[in-house]
Amino acid sequence: MPKIIRFHAIGGPENLKLEELPARQPSEGEVKLRVQAVGLNRAEALFLRGVYGGTPELPSRIGYEAAGVVEAVGPGVDASWIGKSVATVPGLSMSKNGVLGEEAIVPAILLGEYPAKLSPIEAAAIWMQYLTAYGALVTFGGVKRGEFVLITAASSSVGLAAIQIANAEGAIPIAVTRKSNKRAELLSLGAAHVIASEEEDLVKLVNEITAGKGARIVFDPVGGPGVEKLAQAAAFEGIIFEYGGLSMQPTPFPMIALGKGLAIRGYTMTEIRQDAPLLKIAKQYVFDRLADGRFHPKIAKTFPLAQSVEAYQYLESNQQVGKVVIAV
């Protein structure tokens, strides 16, 4: 029987259990994956605590992003998928179809092939981060050459993807991280500038870097009171994309936005995933740049399946730069 990670109570990573469960077969529109690696996301840590994506149906599975090989297809699914190496686009029901384990049943519409040069561990770290950043910066933000892009939580996998996309489009990425201990690594990973927000004056430094223009695009998963400073650092008629609420605090509307004509827009990758034509374009954009080396996922640390508790604890520690992956 395949080994699967589940949890039986709402709480932290300590509730994750490694269990043996009967093998399942895919239903209509689904495929069965032999999982090789799973990339971890903060959304899953919040899901564990019952504060993301609805209330988990206990006992619940977990995991959005898997890389693996298609072993079987359900009715209505093209049999040519069998034997292909794929990675899943996040968007499934984690309680029912969570991918953390040796076997996963996922909707076929969420499959994406990846370049053969990538390992399964790397492939488990592509779709969430690159599609999220692509949708905000390219599809809706229309990022242009020479523009400044302010990227908070820059050491996260999505933050690093945003840095790579900004560079690929000829923009200038300004990375924001809390402490200066990640500065050198962020610079080596493509950030043009790094600001340690708990140690430095963010607004002052952005004004100096941009010669007073401000950042035309701000890409922020934190929210909370810090949005006021982001609005001060934004350009006239700029846009702030809020794609998360990691601060867990209320996010006040910054009145400075009125005088700047500043747009503050809620955003999630779901906007790309649910629009089939947009998703096709986005996946091709990411695939091509992974294939030619312009994009490369940064793996912070890998853990074996039996250490899933430790893996999520590490994710929550904020020590990592890049993606935390569980090798199956």
Side-chain angles (χ1 to χ4, degrees), residues 5-25:
I5 298 292
R6 297 199 300 177
F7 60 100
H8 295 252
I10 302 297
E14 68 278 0
N15 288 330
L16 295 172
K17 307 296 181 185
L18 181 62
E19 303 174 342
E20 290 189 356
L21 298 175
R24 297 193 298 168
Q25 295 304 315

Side-chain angles (χ1 to χ4, degrees), residues 94-328:
M94 278 196 280
S95 282
K96 176 186 175 185
N97 296 110
V99 297
L100 186 50
E102 295 176 337
E103 170 193 283
I105 305 294
V106 300
I109 59 172
L110 298 181
L111 298 180
E113 293 186 75
Y114 59 87
K117 65 187 289 186
L118 297 184
S119 69
I121 286 175
E122 292 168 328
I126 57 175
W127 293 126
M128 173 67 93
Q129 64 196 53
Y130 288 109
L131 293 180
T132 299
Y134 171 87
L137 272 58
V138 178
T139 304
F140 302 117
V143 64
K144 297 178 179 63
R145 179 172 296 277
E147 291 184 329
F148 292 94
V149 181
L150 189 64
I151 301 163
T152 66
S155 63
S156 69
S157 59
V158 177
L160 295 179
I163 290 171
Q164 293 180 27
I165 289 173
N167 281 323
E169 295 299 316
I172 304 164
I174 305 172
V176 180
T177 187
R178 292 186 302 169
K179 306 282 188 183
S180 58
N181 62 313
K182 294 181 179 179
R183 185 188 307 276
E185 190 163 10
L186 286 169
L187 289 170
S188 73
L189 292 168
H193 307 272
V194 177
I195 299 172
S197 59
E198 292 184 359
E199 301 173 9
E200 299 174 303
D201 187 329
L202 182 144
V203 176
K204 178 183 177 183
L205 287 175
V206 170
N207 281 330
E208 290 176 357
I209 291 166
T210 65
K213 294 179 181 179
R216 213 271 294 174
I217 296 175
V218 179
F219 187 51
D220 176 52
V222 181
V227 170
E228 176 66 37
K229 287 186 177 181
L230 297 181
Q232 293 176 39
F236 180 76
E237 295 186 342
I239 184 168
I240 298 176
F241 287 97
E242 288 296 329
Y243 71 98
L246 293 177
S247 78
M248 304 297 286
Q249 298 180 64
T251 302
F253 183 84
M255 297 304 291
I256 194 174
L258 302 181
K260 284 187 167 186
L262 180 64
I264 300 177
R265 187 192 192 285
Y267 164 75
T268 69
M269 189 264 286
T270 301
E271 294 184 59
I272 299 295
R273 178 178 54 78
Q274 290 184 340
D275 187 315
L278 275 183
L279 179 59
K280 182 178 180 180
I281 293 169
K283 286 167 69 176
Q284 193 64 55
Y285 175 96
V286 173
F287 184 99
D288 290 346
R289 286 156 182 78
L290 288 168
D292 67 19
R294 279 178 286 176
F295 292 172
H296 193 276
K298 170 71 167 63
I299 307 303
K301 193 172 183 178
T302 60
F303 291 83
L305 184 63
Q307 292 181 12
S308 293
V309 170
E310 291 84 351
Y312 276 99
Q313 288 172 336
Y314 182 70
L315 176 74
E316 293 186 330
S317 74
N318 294 318
Q319 297 176 50
Q320 74 276 13
V321 175
K323 194 81 161 183
V324 181
V325 178
I326 291 175
V328 180

Side-chain angles (χ1 to χ4, degrees), residues 11-13 41-52 62 94 312 315-316:
N41 296 285
R42 292 194 179 275
E44 294 146 29
L46 296 174
F47 179 71
L48 261 174
R49 300 179 187 277
V51 294
Y52 177 89
I62 193 170
M94 278 196 280
Y312 276 99
L315 176 74
E316 293 186 330

